Amino acid sequence: MNTCRQPVLSRRRFVTGLSSATALSILGSTPLLLGSKRYSDAPPVMQGKLFDLNIAYQEMNFTGSPSIATTISGALPAPILRWKEGERVTLRVHNNLDQTTSIHWHGIILPTDMDGVPGLSFGGIPPGESFEYQFDLLQSGTYWYHSHSGFQEQTGMYGAIIIDPIEPEPFSYDRDYVVLLSDWSDESPSNIYNKLKKLSHYYNFRERTLADFFEEADEHGVANAWNNRRMWNQMRMSDRDISDVTGYTYTFLMNGQAPADGWIGLFDRGQKVRLRFINAAAMTFFDVRIPGLRMTVIAADGQNIQPISIDEFRIGVAETYDVIVEPESDTAYTIFAQSIDRTGYARGTLTPHPNLKADIPALDPAPILTHADMGMGGQGAHEGHDMSGSGMPTFKMKGSEMPGAGMMGTGQAGFGSSTPVKHSTTEFGPHVDMRADNPNYRLDDPGVGLRNHLQRYDRTVLTYADLQNLYKTQDTREPQREIQLHLTGNMSRYMWSINGTKFADAEPLHLSYGERVRITLVNDTMMNHPIHLHGMWSELETGDDHYIARKHTVIVQPGAKISYLVTADAIGRWAYHCHLLYHMPGMFREVIVS
């Protein structure tokens, strides 16, 4: 049976119980509501081989106003599950909600019927019933788990997984902390989604104003400012659309702690500290740094990589990064995770004493999309994107030469696709407002808001080009075929799809068991998309075929393309989708390996 350790209790944030009458009035049914308890500074830890997880509604207060969360075993985030590689774990999940639920074990290689995706893996867990997951642990590292039912993940159903390796690790450390990032809203997810469907920029309070135009005119001249505004208006897009959902409604959390409190991790003199960063947010990318401390990245998505020293990294929704830091003994440091749109942040403190805190840095300037972010090349150029689907005049924009593009695109394993970009007929129509005709690999581009940080702030930023597996590539075969998929949508209508077809109307992707296939993703939208393949590794092509990094979630930048190799070694039905919660209903595919 599992054992559970409870860390130090919090000062301010708490969980309170509700009366049954209140609960019923809010939930409209008879769900189990957990009782009153104080909340901890960090999630509790459960370890062993047999686990009982209870899913229930629970009242939380992150903002000063009580709200209903969906929790796993009474914690938000859910308990950290600590497993051992080579063992077989059994997890009995009990549903006390008034709706079907599920748990997906994100990044874990397991049988398809244990993957926890209703409709593909199984039928879900009905209200009042239980489901027993059981699988062998074939890997080690940092992963996480979350609901794969409706929008339950947004309301609190997520937690960390640590799998300790059988063999000694290739690095050493003295302290080991999970740093789980998430976004919380007192609004119901359904309300958020409905608002986005009615007005896609509902939560964006940084749209351009008349004052911005005059400022741009002073800097670049009236004619240039006018032409620039006209171009964006013709595309019905905004260069300030960075996130769909922002700090206007979100409170960003670190290990369940709002910024007012912040999470605390202790260290002693001379200790090395391992931080396991997990982005469990529904919609938020974070840019993470620890002012005054260099970070050595040792693992990406649970897989060891060749260590690299950096000052800052972007973590997309569902990604994980493990880093090691070596703080000095008498100093406190702020772990600062600012949202990609700079509308807020989560924070914690590494400190030798709980009463010793560090200054909280200011947010970086809010990023603004450029033509290069859209794969459009230089200022004023229009080759590379076709906007005819929006009903606007067709523009052809010159693709930019991004760093790293030169060594990619040979078609050999590890070096990316040489196949020309081709748009299917399903990508044409009012449901698709943009198509990239000349997208580039942008592996050493850290992305909007992080460029030139070495020159500006003396910060080295991690990029995908830095990721090299610590171990040699296991499957060295050349890809037997290539699948090109386009991430598509209509921003203003908040419609998302793959190849212009939403999930409900799409046919599954078929892979033959044992084949080696390249998947090339082309982002025809102006948003970053974190794409997650269940059941198999996505081996990211970065220009080195000997040490290909393995990931479970890959960010595809706006107007860019990226590719990875997949060994189809897992028979069954698998989910494949954008991990932004409100993109998922449309930008989703079933993958069948047979």
Side-chain angles (χ1 to χ4, degrees), residues 462-479:
L462 182 74
T463 70
Y464 274 176
D466 297 321
L467 302 183
Q468 288 183 291
N469 202 318
L470 187 62
Y471 311 105
K472 284 211 167 186
T473 304
Q474 294 182 11
D475 190 343
T476 58
R477 292 178 294 168
E478 293 293 323

Side-chain angles (χ1 to χ4, degrees), residues 291-319:
L293 277 183
R294 295 277 287 181
M295 296 179 281
T296 300
V297 184
I298 56 171
D301 287 2
Q303 299 293 290
N304 293 335
I305 63 170
Q306 297 181 27
I308 180 167
S309 179
I310 50 97
D311 300 293
E312 189 168 21
F313 64 89
R314 172 162 294 167
I315 184 167
V317 172
E319 288 189 306

Side-chain angles (χ1 to χ4, degrees), residues 210-425:
L210 187 60
D212 293 324
F213 173 79
F214 288 128
E215 184 176 329
E216 188 175 346
D218 286 340
E219 187 172 351
H220 300 292
V222 174
N224 287 334
W226 178 260
N227 290 333
N228 193 42
R229 287 302 90 213
R230 184 175 61 178
M231 187 206 74
W232 284 100
N233 290 337
Q234 285 176 328
M235 294 187 295
R236 295 180 179 173
M237 296 176 184
S238 168
D239 57 1
R240 299 189 177 189
D241 279 343
I242 306 297
S243 297
D244 297 344
V245 190
T246 70
Y248 173 69
T249 188
Y250 277 153
T251 298
F252 301 112
L253 308 179
M254 182 175 291
N255 285 337
Q257 301 294 317
D261 287 337
W263 169 77
I264 294 175
L266 298 176
F267 65 87
D268 295 327
R269 178 187 295 272
Q271 288 188 324
K272 291 183 178 180
V273 182
R274 178 176 186 167
L275 301 172
R276 302 174 184 264
F277 286 94
I278 301 169
N279 187 348
M283 292 293 288
T284 306
F285 286 52
F286 291 97
D287 295 334
V288 179
R289 59 192 166 96
I290 308 175
L293 277 183
R294 295 277 287 181
M295 296 179 281
T296 300
V297 184
I298 56 171
D301 287 2
Q303 299 293 290
N304 293 335
I305 63 170
Q306 297 181 27
I308 180 167
S309 179
I310 50 97
D311 300 293
E312 189 168 21
F313 64 89
R314 172 162 294 167
I315 184 167
V317 172
E319 288 189 306
T320 75
Y321 284 108
D322 289 31
V323 309
I324 290 179
V325 296
E326 300 181 53
E328 297 176 359
S329 60
D330 299 326
T331 305
Y333 301 88
T334 294
I335 305 173
F336 190 65
Q338 55 184 339
S339 63
I340 187 175
D341 57 13
R342 311 299 187 242
T343 58
Y345 61 87
R347 76 168 180 95
T349 304
L350 279 179
T351 179
H353 191 280
N355 294 330
L356 182 61
K357 302 290 179 62
D359 292 336
I360 301 172
L363 292 166
D364 287 336
I368 296 176
L369 293 169
T370 67
H371 298 172
D373 289 308
M374 311 297 291
M376 296 177 181
Q379 181 79 16
H382 289 276
E383 290 185 8
H385 268 69
D386 175 1
M387 305 293 178
S388 61
S390 64
M392 296 293 102
T394 297
F395 299 107
K396 290 292 184 182
M397 302 183 178
K398 182 180 180 180
S400 61
E401 288 296 327
M402 299 302 292
M407 65 180 182
M408 295 294 294
T410 66
Q412 295 177 297
F415 292 88
S417 172
S418 60
T419 304
V421 169
K422 183 179 180 181
H423 298 284
S424 63
T425 56

Side-chain angles (χ1 to χ4, degrees), residues 38-215:
R38 283 191 61 84
Y39 205 69
S40 60
D41 271 343
V45 179
M46 302 175 74
Q47 53 190 3
K49 299 179 183 178
L50 176 62
F51 300 82
D52 279 288
L53 302 176
N54 289 286
I55 301 174
Y57 297 111
Q58 198 161 344
E59 187 178 270
M60 307 292 289
N61 191 337
F62 293 106
T63 63
S65 300
S67 188
I68 297 298
T70 314
T71 62
I72 301 174
S73 292
L76 194 166
I80 298 169
L81 302 180
R82 190 135 201 167
W83 300 338
K84 180 75 174 179
E85 182 185 9
E87 293 186 343
R88 186 175 183 83
V89 291
T90 301
L91 303 110
R92 299 184 298 219
V93 179
H94 312 288
N95 182 6
N96 301 298
L97 307 179
D98 61 351
Q99 56 186 283
T100 297
T101 191
S102 60
I103 291 183
H104 165 59
W105 317 98
H106 191 109
I108 305 300
I109 302 300
L110 39 60
T112 185
D113 58 347
M114 294 290 111
D115 197 42
V117 180
L120 298 184
S121 311
F122 69 150
I125 310 172
E129 297 189 15
S130 300
F131 184 82
E132 183 174 290
Y133 297 84
Q134 189 174 71
F135 46 87
D136 297 321
L137 302 175
L138 308 175
Q139 63 206 97
S140 62
T142 303
Y143 305 92
W144 65 297
Y145 62 109
H146 59 84
S147 171
H148 221 292
S149 296
F151 296 141
Q152 292 170 1
E153 182 188 327
Q154 173 77 92
T155 60
M157 279 188 64
Y158 47 78
I161 295 172
I162 299 173
I163 307 177
D164 294 313
I166 297 175
E167 301 293 334
E169 294 187 289
F171 36 77
S172 63
Y173 51 90
D174 305 293
R175 298 255 186 169
D176 186 1
Y177 291 116
V178 165
V179 182
L180 189 144
L181 306 170
S182 60
D183 45 23
W184 170 267
S185 175
D186 286 345
E187 290 188 87
S188 77
S190 296
N191 283 345
I192 293 175
Y193 188 63
N194 289 337
K195 287 177 179 176
L196 291 171
K197 292 293 287 184
K198 293 174 182 174
L199 188 64
S200 62
H201 57 278
Y202 180 88
Y203 294 101
N204 185 355
F205 283 71
R206 285 182 171 152
E207 294 290 4
R208 284 198 175 274
T209 64
L210 187 60
D212 293 324
F213 173 79
F214 288 128
E215 184 176 329

